[in-house]
Amino acid sequence: MLGARAWHCRGFLLPRARPGLAASRRGSSSRDKDRSVTVSSSVPMPAGGKGSRTNCSQATPQKVPNRLINEKSPYLLQHAYNPVDWYPWGQEAFDKARKENKPIFLSVGYSTCHWCHMMEEESFQNEEISRLLNEDFVSVKVDREERPDVDKVYMTFVQATSSGGGWPMSVWLTPNLQPFVGGTYFPPEDGLTRVGFRTVLQRIREQWKQNKNALLENSQRVTTALLARSEISMGDRQLPPSAATMNSRCFQQLDEGYDEEYGGFAEAPKFPTPVILSFLFSYWLSHRLTQDGSRAQQMALHTLKMMANGGIRDHVGQGFHRYSTDRQWHVPHFEKMLYDQAQLAVAYSQAFQISGDEFYSDVAKGILQYVARNLSHRSGGFHSAEDADSPPERGRRPKEGAFYVWTVKEVQQLLPEPVPGATEPLTSGQLLMKHYGLTEAGNISSSQDPKGELQGQNVLTVRYSLELTAARFGLDVEAVRTLLNTGLEKLFQARKHRPKPHLDSKMLAAWNGLMVSGYAVTGAVLGLERLISYAINGAKFLKRHMFDVASGRLMRTCYAGSGATVEHSNPPCWGFLEDYAFVVRGLLDLYEATQESAWLEWALRLQDTQDRLFWDSQGGGYFCSEAELGAGLPLRLKDDQDGAEPSANSVSAHNLLRLHGFTGHKDWMDKCVCLLTAFSERMRRVPVALPEMVRALSAHQQTLKQVGVIVICGDPQAKDTKALLQCVHSIYIPNKVLILADGDPSSFLSRQLPFLSTLRRLDDRATAYVCENQACSLPITEPCELRKLLHP
């Protein structure tokens, strides 16, 4: 919603960044204040404001397309009919800038970004502004999801020089790709409290002509300072910090920022941040008998429950929106991202393991139902996102949330049936409106809708428990549950007739890897083979369409073609660190869910490729991009933030530990130690910024019950084997390594871990062993006994 989108929409002009200025990391930028300065004087250029929403992605056939018409990215194609002479990121644009001695205007966004749409409609479709860009700049458009390396480098500059960041990102570069001015969203014209994009362009044009040398010198100084500050290296350190200390500090920082009433860890906007919830569950497991342990569990479970009851969850069609604009999780920013669905499915599955409350498992199943229905490609892959904006009616201008909001009149017309047995006259519609907080005037406050676009509209959010709603009308709880579910289904069917939000049909290896994990973990926890089959199909898709067998490399992107076909860019966009890390995690989770060693073998091969392409043999840890792929960029970074997605280095630390458990290869344990040591200073300074890495640090240093190898000896198809496997999956053991030994000494895992051949079935029954350093427990054949050992 408009009132809380400052995280995405700050407009800054920041030419004179001081090298010593503290950088604001992405995870905290939502709390930063707007700030801006001018190019040539101390006169302030105020931050950008809000504009009207329009349909910004419709190509008009009579216009001549620009170069972006030849791209595959849905985001770039949205700009293919702009009058701006756009170039895709590449040598052609850089050569033109050098030859004509012009600065580069770099615009970075993504397909479902509301304020990216706004800036396109207001500025990039404006003929006069386009003329300014075409005459005095070389304009380059980048899909941040295609090129996360380009996004990270220049976002680091914007955050370091402005204390904020977001998308669209607007950065001006020298022809040698060094940044000298940066910001995010700019409105087209000056206002009372804001500077317009036209003015920004005119001022930069004049400064480039009059003070170019000063701009270049300042750009070099800033780049040098950023390079020094962004270095992550082991240095003289030999070992990572104490896990106990980092755990305690991370927990305390989260505890201090916790919202007791509504859950979550900020005022507004509020993001789901599954990495924090995962940390809290792990912290609870290792501190179960302490007050802090109980507190960690309560914080995570309460947050998950409040999110699931709030408007950030789509109660009609399932799945979660991007974030809440308010403290109560009520009014969301309505876009839906694949990576949120993947991680939240795992978080709710873990909550079910820990609590036994089917509320959480139902939410997890709903998320995956939404992904299967709305974000799945016919060949097994997963699309990236659905937009926040859509037309309220066909032919109308898109508005945010139009697909998802309801009026009282609509609900009354859809659900007019009387409810039998109620203590007062009551229709199904009135029951649903009471339970989900719908009102005649609408339940969206004017502060969240300053332009009045959503007057009289409602976001469904659970206001009462089923028991309270039932008691209010003298009804049976199960009857109320049935009536509400029937009502939601009727709303769902009615919603099908509305114009749908735009689908970003691009498929990313990294997010597909996360989604393989989401289906595999949830399917294993709940014992649902149909969910695991989605994970299998997702992994097959990755291997078929996003893996180059000859080189062993992953491709970053592919795109939905006509029918069930899949298309690639030419040349292909090769994978980044996060693609390898997230796919390896997905394959390891899939192996544990299926016990099919082919997935484990592929994970090992991808890890070898990751080590070859990204490992820093000098400083430790992994770079985000290949050296060759990022040639020309002023920085080569290692991501040090677990945010909306976990850092690829954090995930890699977990992967290395698990791979060591599966293979016994010491090299991977050594790499894990080097990685954790390289990030020591970051963890010590702000552990809450790296909760997933702190979790990996704990996994490395903890004891048998939480880091053991669990071996099940048995026939994969036998009931007793499946019973022991399901016992393990039902328990929350975040750092386990689960192996099925089928008795074949020539199998892949037996060749990796020779001690497996010494383990036997007891009395010809499926038998479990819990092992550490190749020393194993006594054999266990009963699931209840295994549960006691794993979860005393």
Side-chain angles (χ1 to χ4, degrees):
M1 300 303 300
L2 288 171
R5 211 186 324 257
W7 193 80
H8 284 289
C9 67
R10 293 189 185 87
F12 300 102
L13 186 55
L14 304 151
R16 293 189 193 162
R18 297 189 303 277
L21 192 64
S24 166
R25 308 310 300 165
R26 195 167 313 182
S28 60
S29 60
S30 60
R31 294 190 287 271
D32 296 330
K33 303 294 184 185
D34 287 351
R35 197 172 61 166
S36 56
V37 294
T38 64
V39 175
S40 56
S41 73
S42 59
V43 180
M45 297 178 70
K50 319 299 190 274
S52 62
R53 306 175 205 187
T54 55
N55 184 357
C56 22
S57 58
Q58 303 261 339
T60 48
Q62 67 270 24
K63 290 187 178 179
V64 178
N66 56 49
R67 291 170 187 79
L68 300 185
I69 197 68
N70 298 314
E71 298 299 306
K72 297 289 186 183
S73 159
Y75 175 63
L76 298 187
L77 289 171
Q78 285 170 348
H79 293 262
Y81 285 88
N82 294 166
V84 177
D85 186 18
W86 288 117
Y87 285 76
W89 180 266
Q91 200 59 47
E92 184 184 4
F94 311 152
D95 289 346
K96 178 180 172 68
R98 291 180 189 122
K99 181 181 178 182
E100 300 181 10
N101 192 25
K102 289 180 179 178
I104 293 170
F105 167 61
L106 173 66
S107 177
V108 182
Y110 58 102
S111 178
T112 59
C113 165
H114 174 88
W115 285 92
C116 301
H117 301 339
M118 290 293 294
M119 196 162 175
E120 182 203 7
E121 173 68 17
E122 296 170 340
S123 294
F124 302 148
Q125 291 186 12
N126 180 294
E127 295 287 346
E128 186 180 347
I129 289 176
S130 295
R131 182 179 55 77
L132 275 171
L133 283 168
N134 296 341
E135 289 178 359
D136 298 301
F137 302 88
V138 176
S139 299
V140 176
K141 177 63 74 172
V142 167
D143 183 338
R144 68 171 293 261
E145 294 167 357
E146 278 191 332
R147 291 300 302 260
D149 57 333
V150 175
D151 179 60
K152 281 186 175 74
V153 164
Y154 296 111
M155 186 64 76
T156 298
F157 168 77
V158 170
Q159 289 178 324
T161 54
S162 71
S163 299
W167 298 277
M169 178 169 63
S170 305
V171 188
W172 285 263
L173 318 176
T174 70
N176 291 324
L177 307 185
Q178 292 189 331
F180 62 92
V181 172
T184 55
Y185 164 84
F186 290 96
E189 306 294 344
D190 296 347
L192 291 174
T193 59
R194 62 188 188 178
V195 65
F197 188 56
R198 185 200 313 271
T199 301
V200 173
L201 292 173
Q202 290 169 339
R203 291 184 186 179
I204 293 176
R205 177 185 62 186
E206 295 309 308
Q207 288 297 310
W208 185 258
K209 290 177 180 177
Q210 298 171 14
N211 297 312
K212 184 173 68 174
N213 289 338
L215 285 176
L216 294 176
E217 289 172 11
N218 183 67
S219 174
Q220 183 59 54
R221 281 198 304 272
V222 173
T223 302
T224 301
L226 286 176
L227 187 61
R229 191 169 54 205
S230 63
E231 183 181 3
I232 293 172
S233 173
M234 290 186 291
D236 297 330
R237 291 180 290 271
Q238 300 297 314
L239 292 170
S242 157
T245 302
M246 294 301 98
N247 258 293
S248 177
R249 288 186 57 201
C250 188
F251 170 74
Q252 292 301 327
Q253 288 176 349
L254 290 171
D255 191 25
E256 288 167 9
Y258 181 64
D259 184 335
E260 297 283 354
E261 189 173 0
Y262 295 104
F265 301 90
E267 282 297 314
K270 275 187 175 175
F271 291 77
T273 52
V275 289
I276 289 176
L277 303 171
S278 183
F279 167 81
L280 290 171
F281 283 147
S282 288
Y283 187 87
W284 159 78
L285 189 64
S286 56
H287 298 77
R288 272 185 297 168
L289 302 180
T290 69
Q291 189 173 350
D292 281 353
S294 299
R295 169 78 170 161
Q297 183 200 57
Q298 178 266 331
M299 287 160 64
L301 291 177
H302 179 57
T303 297
L304 285 166
K305 185 153 279 190
M306 296 304 291
M307 282 168 44
N309 284 334
I312 190 175
R313 179 184 174 202
D314 178 5
H315 294 276
V316 174
Q318 297 303 311
F320 278 78
H321 299 294
R322 182 64 198 91
Y323 61 84
S324 172
T325 64
D326 54 71
R327 181 186 164 207
Q328 295 83 7
W329 305 105
H330 176 200
V331 181
H333 175 47
F334 287 93
E335 67 186 313
K336 289 180 175 179
M337 310 301 294
L338 183 68
Y339 59 78
D340 281 325
Q341 317 309 322
Q343 294 177 88
L344 286 169
V346 173
Y348 280 98
S349 299
Q350 292 173 339
F352 171 67
Q353 285 177 311
I354 290 166
S355 68
D357 186 343
E358 290 187 1
F359 171 86
Y360 299 106
S361 60
D362 287 345
V363 176
K365 286 186 283 189
I367 292 169
L368 298 181
Q369 180 187 37
Y370 159 72
V371 173
R373 186 177 59 239
N374 288 59
L375 296 179
S376 293
H377 188 267
R378 275 188 270 179
S379 59
F382 302 101
H383 301 303
S384 294
E386 283 192 306
D387 210 322
D389 298 8
S390 61
E393 298 171 12
R394 299 192 191 284
R396 295 269 305 278
R397 191 176 70 180
K399 296 181 179 180
E400 187 183 0
F403 186 71
Y404 299 102
V405 293
W406 300 88
T407 64
V408 163
K409 183 179 179 181
E410 286 175 310
V411 175
Q412 287 174 331
Q413 289 176 342
L414 287 167
L415 304 172
E417 309 87 0
V419 175
T423 53
E424 60 186 78
L426 181 71
T427 66
S428 295
Q430 289 169 330
L431 177 71
L432 186 140
M433 289 187 291
K434 181 71 173 179
H435 188 73
Y436 288 103
L438 279 67
T439 68
E440 191 77 44
N443 63 12
I444 299 170
S445 71
S446 57
S447 64
Q448 292 165 302
D449 181 30
K451 295 191 71 66
E453 293 179 325
L454 295 173
Q455 285 184 353
Q457 302 285 347
N458 293 272
V459 174
L460 270 64
T461 181
V462 175
R463 301 304 301 271
Y464 307 99
S465 66
L466 285 172
E467 289 76 12
L468 278 174
T469 299
R472 166 71 178 78
F473 298 109
L475 297 168
D476 177 73
V477 170
E478 287 307 311
V480 169
R481 188 194 308 274
T482 300
L483 285 165
L484 291 174
N485 288 340
T486 301
L488 291 174
E489 177 61 25
K490 288 185 178 178
L491 265 58
F492 175 73
Q493 294 301 327
R495 204 170 75 176
K496 284 182 177 179
H497 299 288
R498 296 178 176 179
K500 289 183 172 59
H502 159 70
L503 173 70
D504 183 348
S505 59
K506 175 176 75 270
M507 288 170 275
L508 301 173
W511 296 2
N512 273 253
L514 288 175
M515 205 64 242
V516 169
S517 284
Y519 273 108
V521 171
T522 306
V525 168
L526 303 183
L528 295 174
E529 291 294 332
R530 60 183 172 80
L531 298 182
I532 296 172
S533 69
Y534 276 98
I536 293 171
N537 290 336
K540 287 179 177 177
F541 175 88
L542 283 163
K543 195 160 193 179
R544 186 183 310 118
H545 295 290
M546 306 190 80
F547 178 62
D548 180 62
V549 177
S551 66
R553 293 165 81 191
L554 286 170
M555 297 175 199
R556 168 70 174 174
T557 59
C558 64
Y559 309 87
S562 58
T565 62
V566 174
E567 298 177 351
H568 295 85
S569 56
N570 185 23
C573 183
W574 294 109
F576 296 91
L577 175 63
E578 64 184 40
D579 296 297
Y580 289 84
F582 294 176
V583 170
V584 168
R585 171 188 271 187
L587 294 173
L588 296 180
D589 289 336
L590 184 56
Y591 166 74
E592 293 199 346
T594 63
Q595 300 301 317
E596 294 178 14
S597 62
W599 302 123
L600 183 57
E601 293 182 57
W602 189 29
L604 266 65
R605 183 177 178 188
L606 289 178
Q607 187 65 50
D608 283 334
T609 305
Q610 175 182 320
D611 293 347
R612 173 169 56 86
L613 296 176
F614 305 101
W615 180 253
D616 179 3
S617 57
Q618 301 299 314
Y622 294 97
F623 290 108
C624 294
S625 59
E626 296 181 43
E628 293 77 11
L629 193 62
L633 287 172
L635 304 173
R636 192 181 181 206
L637 299 173
K638 299 173 188 173
D639 197 4
D640 62 350
Q641 179 86 13
D642 292 325
E645 304 160 64
S647 153
N649 269 288
S650 297
V651 173
S652 294
H654 286 278
N655 290 345
L656 291 167
L657 285 174
R658 294 174 76 181
L659 288 166
H660 174 261
F662 281 118
T663 66
H665 293 178
K666 185 174 181 295
D667 178 56
W668 279 326
M669 180 63 79
D670 293 342
K671 272 193 166 64
C672 180
V673 173
C674 289
L675 187 159
L676 294 170
T677 303
F679 282 84
S680 291
E681 185 58 31
R682 294 290 197 268
M683 281 193 280
R684 283 195 181 98
R685 197 166 67 237
V686 196
V688 74
L690 281 167
E692 188 73 4
M693 190 168 288
V694 173
R695 217 166 64 77
L697 179 67
S698 301
H700 174 250
Q701 295 181 11
Q702 280 169 353
T703 57
L704 167 65
K705 296 275 171 62
Q706 291 166 46
V707 199
V709 175
I710 303 166
V711 182
I712 310 293
C713 298
D715 177 354
Q717 302 306 319
K719 285 185 179 180
D720 56 355
T721 303
K722 291 182 177 180
L724 289 175
L725 288 169
Q726 188 54 42
C727 172
V728 176
H729 288 308
S730 70
I731 304 168
Y732 176 68
I733 317 170
N735 305 315
K736 72 178 185 301
V737 169
L738 176 60
I739 292 173
L740 176 66
D742 59 6
D744 179 4
S746 65
S747 69
F748 174 74
L749 276 167
S750 293
R751 296 197 308 273
Q752 303 291 321
L753 298 170
F755 83 94
L756 292 178
S757 62
T758 67
L759 303 179
R760 297 283 183 267
R761 301 185 204 184
L762 191 64
D763 300 330
D764 205 31
R765 299 168 64 190
T767 305
Y769 298 86
V770 179
C771 308
E772 179 79 357
N773 295 325
Q774 302 187 7
C776 298
S777 68
L778 293 172
I780 300 167
T781 57
E782 294 296 332
C784 59
E785 293 300 317
L786 180 58
R787 175 173 288 277
K788 287 178 185 176
L789 179 63
L790 295 173
H791 190 64

